[in-house]
Amino acid sequence: MIAATRVDESSLHYRGWRVVLACFLMAFFMFGFGLYGQGVYLAELQRAHGWPGTLVSAASTFSFLLTSVLVIFTDDLLARIGLRSLILCGLVALGASTVLLALMQTPWQLYLAYGLMSLGWTGMGTVVIATVLNSWFERRRGLALSLAFNGATCGGIILVPLLLSLSGSIGFRSAMLAATMAMMVLVLPVVVIFIGWPAGMSLASDGRSSGGGAAAPSHSRKTLLANAAFWTMVLPIAIALLAQMGFIIHQVTFLEPLIGRSAAGLAVTVMAAMAVVGRLSLGLFVDRLDPRLACAASMTSQAAALFVLLQSTNPTMLLVCCAVYGFSIGNMITFPPLIIQREIGASAFAAAMGLGTSISGIVSAFGPGIVGLVRSFTGNYTTAFAMCVVLDVVAAGIVLWRPGKTAKLAAS
């Protein structure tokens, strides 16, 4: 049992909430720079260097795929170099990436910058955040995860418009350097001061032999791949994220002919804002819910929102559909750690999060391309988004399947 069960997790004096603050800031800058900011880089690097969009887009794909491979080994890195060292390495890598993006002159530097960004994801991404919060919370784990992962959405809402505004006033190079400096000033102290395992606990002590070296994580991954409960969590999340990524990337292109550019932009803002509301709302109740049922309900609500969106051309109804869809967007990365903790166990938590994140990341990366391909073949988005509706319904059905006995894994 983790140390968090012996303290009052609802108290604001509990150190775990300071860890949540640190994780919020990590998610804010990691997702702000590493995901939502990539649209800014695409436009600015094309403008500054005349590079084709395919070159920058290919670098983005390279980064996402490399990240999906590296996160598999998060538990090995945690065991070898420790939690705080891994996060600090990720912070330095992300900072080096954003500085290089500001100063680069040649295409090979672009790929180096995006490679460094992948290292940043390994040290500051969802797997590390979920693993550290899992160790600090038992009864309020869902709320802690929801609050921390809201940093990801806030990074898109705040950091990206700020980068665009600063780029227009002081230039892209100065904007990136200033934002990088702000990240270091804000994140470095809280990581050094607040981040750590609960007293008397380490990754090795949580059901794993400290002298086992790297063999335990490897054994855990092999066991996970043969575990039906793991697959009935990973596959539906991957399918739902594929549909979600496809819709998000093509949302403006779909809506603009129907309601105009400004209203389409408003729809994106509404969807992002509802993602924050959805995470906070879920966080208040999810610790008392069955995470598989809640996950299936979220997937079903997204399918329903997309279905209605395809039937309407009314601007108000389209905005409502985007709001309903957005309510569940952020929760797709909140459910996996909750299901893993309940059904697979703490001893293999980091291994399961790393492997699951890798699989879902690789699968979801194809979402925008598949939606775009179907749209090209059919000439409209009706079939493409209908496919997303079907994928969400299928995912909701799979996640409700509880195969056999889900005994917790031993990583000895």
Side-chain angles (χ1 to χ4, degrees):
M1 186 65 67
I2 62 173
T5 59
R6 298 193 292 270
V7 299
D8 181 10
E9 295 177 11
S10 62
S11 172
L12 292 178
H13 298 291
Y14 176 50
R15 185 187 166 192
W17 295 113
R18 295 190 285 275
V19 177
V20 170
L21 172 62
C23 290
F24 177 94
L25 289 173
M26 287 160 53
F28 179 93
F29 285 103
M30 190 65 253
F31 280 80
F33 280 129
L35 179 61
Y36 299 109
Q38 295 207 22
V40 179
Y41 314 149
L42 175 63
E44 294 295 334
L45 293 174
Q46 283 184 280
R47 183 179 298 112
H49 303 287
W51 294 340
T54 52
L55 174 68
V56 185
S57 298
S60 295
T61 301
F62 161 74
S63 177
F64 289 138
L65 292 177
L66 179 59
T67 299
S68 296
V69 173
L70 292 178
V71 294
I72 297 175
F73 306 102
T74 302
D75 56 329
D76 299 89
L77 293 170
L78 285 170
R80 288 182 179 275
I81 68 174
L83 174 64
R84 187 179 290 123
S85 296
L86 178 58
I87 294 174
L88 291 176
C89 287
L91 179 62
V92 171
L94 179 60
S97 172
T98 54
V99 169
L100 188 55
L101 282 167
L103 303 177
M104 69 174 52
Q105 298 296 326
T106 59
W108 71 265
Q109 294 174 329
L110 174 66
Y111 281 83
L112 175 59
Y114 276 77
L116 288 168
M117 193 175 290
S118 296
L119 295 177
W121 278 111
T122 306
M124 292 173 57
T126 54
V127 177
V128 169
I129 290 173
T131 300
V132 68
L133 292 180
N134 181 69
S135 72
W136 280 97
F137 291 91
E138 180 73 22
R139 293 180 298 275
R140 308 307 298 273
R141 181 178 291 123
L143 177 60
L145 287 167
S146 296
L147 291 173
F149 285 142
N150 258 333
T153 307
C154 290
I157 295 174
I158 298 172
L159 185 58
V160 172
L162 181 62
L163 284 176
L164 289 171
S165 177
L166 288 175
S167 296
S169 58
I170 63 176
F172 176 68
R173 173 179 295 189
S174 298
M176 290 294 290
L177 294 177
T180 302
M181 181 62 68
M183 176 180 69
M184 291 298 179
V185 170
L186 291 172
V187 178
L188 184 59
V190 297
V191 168
V192 171
I193 296 172
F194 297 149
I195 287 291
W197 302 115
M201 180 224 162
S202 68
L203 187 69
S205 67
D206 199 2
R208 176 179 298 170
S209 172
S210 59
S218 177
H219 177 73
S220 296
R221 285 192 288 271
K222 291 178 182 178
T223 308
L224 285 166
L225 291 173
N227 184 273
F230 173 76
W231 283 110
T232 59
M233 180 274 295
V234 169
L235 283 181
I237 291 293
I239 293 170
L241 286 175
L242 182 149
Q244 186 170 284
M245 289 291 288
F247 173 69
I248 290 173
I249 298 301
H250 291 271
Q251 179 186 12
V252 172
T253 307
F254 170 76
L255 291 175
E256 189 173 347
L258 299 175
I259 58 178
R261 175 170 299 206
S262 60
L266 175 62
V268 175
T269 302
V270 169
M271 187 175 69
M274 287 301 293
V276 176
V277 175
R279 269 213 190 97
L280 290 175
S281 301
L282 179 74
L284 294 174
F285 303 104
V286 72
D287 292 306
R288 298 192 292 272
L289 301 175
D290 182 329
R292 283 187 179 264
L293 286 174
C295 186
S298 293
M299 293 169 177
T300 304
S301 72
Q302 289 193 330
L306 271 183
F307 180 80
V308 175
L309 181 139
L310 287 173
Q311 312 305 312
S312 178
T313 57
N314 180 273
T316 301
M317 181 57 68
L318 292 174
L319 287 174
V320 170
C321 289
C322 289
V324 173
Y325 193 92
F327 190 81
S328 296
I329 281 179
N331 293 330
M332 289 304 159
I333 62 173
T334 303
F335 289 122
L338 298 176
I339 297 173
I340 288 170
Q341 174 61 31
R342 291 194 184 192
E343 299 186 10
I344 295 177
S347 62
F349 185 89
M353 275 299 300
L355 189 58
T357 301
S358 173
I359 294 169
S360 61
I362 292 172
V363 172
S364 63
F366 292 96
I370 292 174
V371 169
L373 190 62
V374 174
R375 193 254 184 189
S376 297
F377 281 139
T378 60
N380 57 63
Y381 278 109
T382 302
T383 304
F385 287 166
M387 176 193 67
C388 293
V389 172
V390 173
L391 289 174
D392 277 325
V393 172
V394 170
I398 296 174
V399 82
L400 289 175
W401 181 34
R402 306 166 194 265
K405 184 180 179 181
T406 56
K408 294 191 174 185
L409 296 176
S412 56

